[in-house]
Amino acid sequence: MKHKCTLLLFIILISVFTLKAQNPWIISANQSEFSNYYGVTVANGMIGIISSPEPLKVKEVVLAGVYDIYNRGRVSNFLPNYNLLNLNLSINGDYLHSGNVSNFRQELNMKEGSFSGSFDYKNIATVTYSYYALRNLPHCVLLDVNIKAKSGIKIDAENVLETPSSLRDQQNYYHEIDRPHLYIPLLTSIADSPSKNIKVAVSNTFLFEEAPLSEPKIYHKVEDSNKHSAKFAKEIKTGEQYSFSVVGTLLSSVQTPDPFNQAERMTIYAKLEGKERLLNRHQKAWDKLWEGDIQIDGDPQAQQDIRSMLYHLYSFTRENTDLSPSPMGLSGLGYNGHIFWDTEIFMYPPLLLLHPKIAKSMIEYRYRRLDAARQQAAIYGYAGAMFPWESAASGAEECPVWALSGTFEHHITADVGIAAWQYYLVTQDIEWLKEKGWPILKATAEFWASRVELNNKGQYEIKNVVAADEWAENVDNNAYTNGAAIKNLQYATECAAVLGVAAPKEWSKIADNIPIFTMENGVTREHDTYTDQKIKQADVNLLAYPLGIVTDENQIIKDLKFYETKVPDRDTPAMTQAIFALLYSRTGDGATAYHWFKDAYLPNLNPPFRVMAEYKGGTNPYFATGAGGLLQAVMMGFGGLDINPQGGIRQLRTAMPPHWKKVTITGVGLDKKTYIQVNDKK
């Protein structure tokens, strides 16, 4: 009965969200839907821009990798940063805002990595605008504005730089590059982080379509010590269209030793590249990303939603960095921008299969902080490396003291080791394994060898941990922690064999004797004192996937049937039900898999762009961890993809939702293969 009621809820929610035909690439909304508004993000893996219900505005700008202590207790966090695209537009002296425009629409174009808006003003002008976090230039953004005059009008456009309260000791500059063939006015601000350890710089300029030296005159205005602007005016005749752009750069001393000069250099570069070249390169970069795609035949709404999940993971990451995404990616300041196990276990696997170079950046993040993890282990009296539960810039523990996870949720160390081995299995990059994979696997295995405790039965127990199910605190022999430690030790031993180096014999002995217990009913026990308590998220079920420790199908189903009843209707993160969906698909029950697939995210969606929150009814989007879990449900569940333990990628026969006809996954692995799963049960 419970599942029937839940299914009815799904049908009602689906009907609400699918009143209009679904475009597989574009999510749109009109002004009537803006009263309950959750912004959607345009990002390039470095800069995140969050939309606003106000025309020509953005809510917030996030810069990856820049952390300092500010208003969030005693731990570091993403800093509220400069808004590069703060544009004021007036027509005939009337400042435009949501209260005096009509026919206001917005849309996210996932294929192009752009956000657009359009509106009318008093039947005398139509304004359209689009903004981009340029994929080809990681620190640059572009806002493009077009105004069509239905009668003669005068516009005033003002680009404002205001220093946020999170930054200190700002300095505002207005520079003019004046050459015989060009004129570039630069609106620039620099400021310090609260600790003064980091300097942030921003620089903007206008792009015009007029010939050089015939562009509108720019006026610099200083309002107060925290704010200055660049402004121009233009008269537009009846029937004419006029276009201009704002291009800007945001970066910090984390990325370059001289952010002040480099911000202006990059803005000059973007200015002289010109809008057309910038957007062509941006589009080519997104086209390359979308070579890795998922196509659903038979469910238009699921197609759009899955694309949104993939779009957000692509937006929050990039190759050739040592950056790794937080649970909320670049969609805001949620979870302080810290890195958790969410990365390695949920977001990483889909990216590893579709874009191994992006996955490599995520592992690089851990590798560069391996020494910090070694120091952390030593502080606790352990050997090897102990990765922090919450990690930021330094790799030290950033979890608030009141949260016991920072002290006791040790499975994160195994999660990092598992991800390292998976990268090797998919890429077969032996040089990377020697240089970076083996140091990670060796150090994490050494940690577990020192962390286990031998009991009088010859078992190596792991005591006093916070479980993957975080409602279980300070428990012994947590199923997932024990299972992850087993795999970490096994993978380290396999790695040593591949490289021809000697692995300590105790690694295999310990792995073979770490216990996984069952209850009297035959269900795998979550921890030593577990009976039938509610659980926050999947724990035991992760032994079947991704760990592959529980392989008997009857046992997998038995564990599913038990623990799915222990998940409450609220307060469980989206990836919990995603794991249920994946496992039901792999055990041949497509209908139940589809139930959990929808339950994982549909009640979490927020208007008007279907942005996913962490929990049902939650208000903290966008939850990239949930997106990663759901993409695994589609790719490794419905699509049957699997990382082959012998190396490479294979495809399993799995079950699809009954009404889906086909799943096509393109651009998989280094050879960019296409995998197709057809629903032959229809």
Side-chain angles (χ1 to χ4, degrees):
M1 178 62 72
K2 180 180 178 182
H3 282 187
K4 290 182 179 179
C5 293
T6 306
L7 185 59
L8 178 60
L9 173 62
F10 285 156
I11 293 170
I12 294 171
L13 287 170
I14 290 170
S15 67
V16 170
F17 279 114
T18 57
L19 293 176
K20 48 193 175 185
Q22 301 309 319
N23 186 309
W25 291 105
I26 295 174
I27 306 174
S28 59
N30 57 53
Q31 195 166 7
S32 65
E33 301 171 277
F34 291 176
S35 59
N36 189 23
Y37 188 99
Y38 293 83
V40 70
T41 307
V42 167
N44 61 11
M46 184 67 70
I47 294 178
I49 307 168
I50 299 91
S51 70
S52 165
E54 284 295 316
L56 295 164
K57 298 293 184 183
V58 301
K59 175 189 174 184
E60 192 170 31
V61 175
V62 177
L63 179 59
V66 179
Y67 299 90
D68 206 347
I69 295 175
Y70 175 73
N71 282 359
R72 308 296 280 265
R74 307 197 316 258
V75 298
S76 68
N77 52 276
F78 275 169
L79 291 174
N81 226 304
Y82 280 105
N83 181 347
L84 290 79
L85 302 179
N86 189 4
L87 185 71
N88 296 331
L89 183 65
S90 299
I91 296 180
N92 296 339
D94 195 4
Y95 168 71
L96 303 183
H97 55 84
S98 59
N100 64 3
V101 303
S102 59
N103 301 318
F104 187 18
R105 291 181 55 82
Q106 294 179 335
E107 70 175 34
L108 172 70
N109 188 319
M110 297 180 284
K111 189 171 181 60
E112 297 179 359
S114 67
F115 184 87
S116 301
S118 64
F119 56 87
D120 294 325
Y121 172 72
K122 291 186 177 178
N123 203 33
I124 62 172
T126 297
V127 179
T128 60
Y129 64 94
S130 299
Y131 60 73
Y132 311 78
L134 294 172
R135 189 78 193 188
N136 49 303
L137 295 177
H139 291 279
C140 293
V141 302
L142 175 73
L143 169 64
D144 189 40
V145 182
N146 179 272
I147 303 161
K148 182 176 182 180
K150 300 177 184 178
S151 62
I153 59 173
K154 178 189 175 186
I155 67 165
D156 292 280
E158 181 183 32
N159 177 218
V160 182
L161 283 183
E162 182 175 6
T163 303
S165 60
S166 58
L167 300 179
R168 306 281 189 270
D169 299 330
Q170 73 285 340
Q171 300 174 60
N172 298 326
Y173 298 94
Y174 182 69
H175 294 158
E176 295 177 317
I177 309 296
D178 198 356
R179 295 285 191 275
H181 65 292
L182 60 84
Y183 170 72
I184 306 175
L186 293 169
L187 186 71
T188 303
S189 294
I190 61 172
D192 293 326
S193 69
S195 69
K196 297 185 180 295
N197 291 326
I198 298 170
K199 191 171 291 293
V200 178
V202 60
S203 185
N204 280 8
T205 195
F206 286 107
L207 280 174
F208 295 108
E209 296 188 352
E210 290 92 336
L213 306 182
S214 63
E215 301 164 330
K217 183 174 177 58
I218 306 298
Y219 298 90
H220 181 230
K221 178 181 177 183
V222 179
E223 297 190 28
D224 57 43
S225 62
N226 291 330
K227 184 188 301 185
H228 66 142
S229 63
K231 182 177 181 179
F232 75 91
K234 180 75 176 181
E235 292 187 359
I236 310 173
K237 297 178 181 179
T238 301
E240 287 186 345
Q241 293 192 54
Y242 184 73
S243 298
F244 69 93
S245 304
V246 175
V247 67
T249 304
L250 176 66
L251 77 175
S252 77
S253 54
V254 172
Q255 291 89 24
T256 177
D258 184 8
F260 181 15
N261 286 320
Q262 194 60 39
E264 293 196 338
R265 290 189 190 105
M266 288 306 304
T267 299
I268 293 169
Y269 175 83
K271 163 84 171 180
L272 296 183
E273 279 286 278
K275 181 177 71 174
E276 183 177 349
R277 285 171 58 82
L278 291 174
L279 293 183
N280 282 343
R281 290 178 62 197
H282 170 82
Q283 188 59 60
K284 286 180 180 178
W286 270 100
D287 289 344
K288 191 73 174 176
L289 286 172
W290 285 117
E291 289 177 2
D293 190 22
I294 302 170
Q295 297 158 24
I296 307 300
D297 186 357
D299 194 333
Q301 185 56 68
Q303 173 68 86
Q304 186 191 69
D305 292 338
I306 291 163
R307 281 253 171 78
S308 178
M309 298 168 197
L310 198 50
Y311 160 82
H312 280 91
L313 285 197
Y314 287 165
S315 295
F316 297 157
T317 56
R318 63 184 298 117
E319 60 184 67
N320 298 322
T321 71
D322 69 338
L323 297 174
S324 194
S326 76
M328 302 304 175
L330 297 175
S331 69
L333 307 181
Y335 283 109
N336 296 326
H338 292 171
I339 319 310
F340 297 72
W341 78 311
D342 303 52
T343 298
E344 282 77 19
I345 299 303
F346 295 104
M347 291 182 264
Y348 174 81
L351 291 168
L352 176 59
L353 267 58
L354 294 175
H355 285 284
K357 289 182 179 179
I358 292 179
K360 187 177 184 180
S361 291
M362 298 158 80
I363 290 295
E364 183 70 14
Y365 171 84
R366 297 296 189 182
Y367 173 74
R368 293 198 185 183
R369 290 155 182 83
L370 184 57
D371 284 343
R374 289 191 176 102
Q375 293 172 5
Q376 175 90 341
I379 288 172
Y380 281 86
Y382 298 123
M386 176 181 172
F387 281 93
W389 178 242
E390 297 188 33
S391 183
S394 69
E397 182 61 70
E398 296 279 4
C399 185
V401 172
W402 58 263
L404 297 182
S405 294
T407 308
F408 294 103
E409 198 156 355
H410 295 168
H411 66 79
I412 178 66
T413 294
D415 300 328
V416 173
I418 290 166
W421 184 243
Q422 287 178 331
Y423 181 79
Y424 168 70
L425 289 178
V426 170
T427 65
Q428 297 292 287
D429 187 341
I430 194 73
E431 293 303 317
W432 178 89
L433 191 66
K434 289 178 185 176
E435 181 185 353
K436 298 180 178 180
W438 170 241
I440 292 172
L441 283 158
K442 179 175 182 289
T444 51
E446 288 171 344
F447 167 77
W448 291 113
S450 70
R451 178 68 174 82
V452 296
E453 300 177 35
L454 181 64
N455 66 20
N456 57 13
K457 298 178 182 178
Q459 297 171 321
Y460 290 92
E461 299 183 275
I462 303 175
K463 296 187 174 184
N464 197 16
V465 299
V466 171
D469 164 24
E470 290 173 319
W471 289 345
E473 296 180 328
N474 302 105
V475 298
D476 298 340
N477 293 315
N478 166 240
Y480 179 75
T481 302
N482 284 20
I486 290 170
K487 301 308 288 188
N488 191 170
L489 289 160
Q490 290 175 342
Y491 291 160
T493 302
E494 289 183 55
C495 179
V498 168
L499 297 178
V501 300
K505 293 181 180 179
E506 67 170 349
W507 289 358
S508 293
K509 181 181 179 182
I510 293 169
D512 290 343
N513 291 282
I514 293 177
I516 304 291
F517 296 117
T518 57
M519 297 184 285
E520 292 182 359
N521 59 6
V523 172
T524 305
R525 188 186 294 275
E526 189 186 85
H527 53 81
D528 281 358
T529 53
Y530 184 84
T531 53
D532 63 350
Q533 299 94 326
K534 293 291 185 181
I535 64 173
K536 177 182 177 181
Q537 60 196 69
D539 187 304
V540 163
N541 308 102
L542 296 171
L543 297 179
Y545 178 90
L547 298 185
I549 289 174
V550 175
T551 58
D552 179 75
E553 188 171 298
N554 291 329
Q555 185 66 51
I556 293 171
I557 293 172
K558 183 180 291 185
D559 290 344
L560 277 169
K561 295 295 185 185
F562 180 85
Y563 284 105
E564 72 179 27
T565 67
K566 305 306 175 186
V567 177
D569 290 333
R570 296 180 64 89
D571 301 326
T572 57
M575 65 278 195
T576 298
Q577 293 91 331
I579 292 297
F580 294 165
L582 187 156
L583 291 173
Y584 272 115
S585 174
R586 287 196 168 192
T587 54
D589 188 345
T592 305
Y594 179 69
H595 160 79
W596 288 115
F597 172 73
K598 287 294 185 182
D599 189 65
Y601 82 96
L602 194 58
N604 304 43
L605 298 181
N606 283 295
F609 300 105
R610 300 176 70 85
V611 291
M612 190 194 317
E614 183 174 6
Y615 302 106
K616 297 175 183 178
T619 57
N620 59 341
Y622 185 88
F623 188 45
T625 310
L630 282 153
L631 288 170
Q632 289 186 69
V634 175
M635 295 170 63
M636 288 74 156
F638 305 142
L641 298 187
D642 191 53
I643 298 174
N644 192 332
Q646 281 70 52
I649 299 164
R650 62 185 179 182
Q651 188 174 29
L652 310 175
R653 187 65 194 154
T654 57
M656 279 188 219
H659 62 293
W660 289 20
K661 299 175 184 177
K662 183 171 63 174
V663 174
T664 303
I665 307 172
T666 62
V668 178
L670 295 178
D671 49 1
K672 298 295 182 183
K673 289 182 65 175
T674 294
Y675 289 85
I676 299 173
Q677 189 93 289
V678 177
N679 191 350
D680 56 12
K681 295 183 179 180
K682 284 185 66 63

